[in-house]
Amino acid sequence: MSPRRRENPPLDREHLRDDPFQQFDKWMGEARAIVPLAEAMTLATVDADGAPNARMVLLKGHGPDGFRFFSNYASAKGEELLASPRAAVVIYWRELDRQVRIRGEVERLPADQSDAYFASRPRDSRLAAAISPQSRPVERDELDRRYRELAEELGDASVPRPAHWGGYLLRPDVIEFWQGRESRMHDRFVYSRQPEGWRVQRLAP
């Protein structure tokens, strides 16, 4: 038997903040209270030929400037963002029957911000990031060997952030908030960036 859809109250314009980042803060706070790994999101990019690609990543910070995530710059997503520095994100919270869709330009974070986040990661994760040729063909034995060798080489010393790894900032042009309703009469509101601020419109489900 499929789980019963969450019965959300109507979502009207007066229920929304004028600023989409404040609205996102509200929904993210509610999601973190009940959704495991509420920061998980699908990141979609395109390559130099316009072919789409998507994968799951973790949202690692957000604010008025945009939404942050981290990766290997030489990975498939890194090369695609270099060729076409725009992306789309979808965050879906099944337990709340809500999703947020975000589109905009992407830029690399300053090195000091990438350094700070890298230093906050568990040591094993830092070692793995340093030795992994992400998205490239590799044998498991080769990965394990690289990991052991770097761990032995560094000993108790800290793991420096490799030059090929760092953060990205997605600066949104469009943010949509979607909330499920019965009979597919879902509530959808889109914030579009305008010279004078954000325009908010209801979309048909």
Side-chain angles (χ1 to χ4, degrees), residues 176-192:
E176 179 189 325
F177 294 86
W178 180 102
Q179 179 172 276
R181 296 282 300 280
E182 294 292 335
S183 303
R184 291 190 54 80
M185 294 293 285
H186 311 313
D187 290 316
R188 297 175 63 189
F189 285 90
V190 62
Y191 292 71
S192 303

Side-chain angles (χ1 to χ4, degrees), residues 1 16 28 33 37 57 85-86 139 146 168 179 186 192:
M1 179 181 296
L16 298 171
M28 177 57 86
L37 204 59
V57 299
R86 293 186 62 81
E139 296 295 333
R146 292 184 182 189
Y168 291 94
Q179 179 172 276
H186 311 313
S192 303

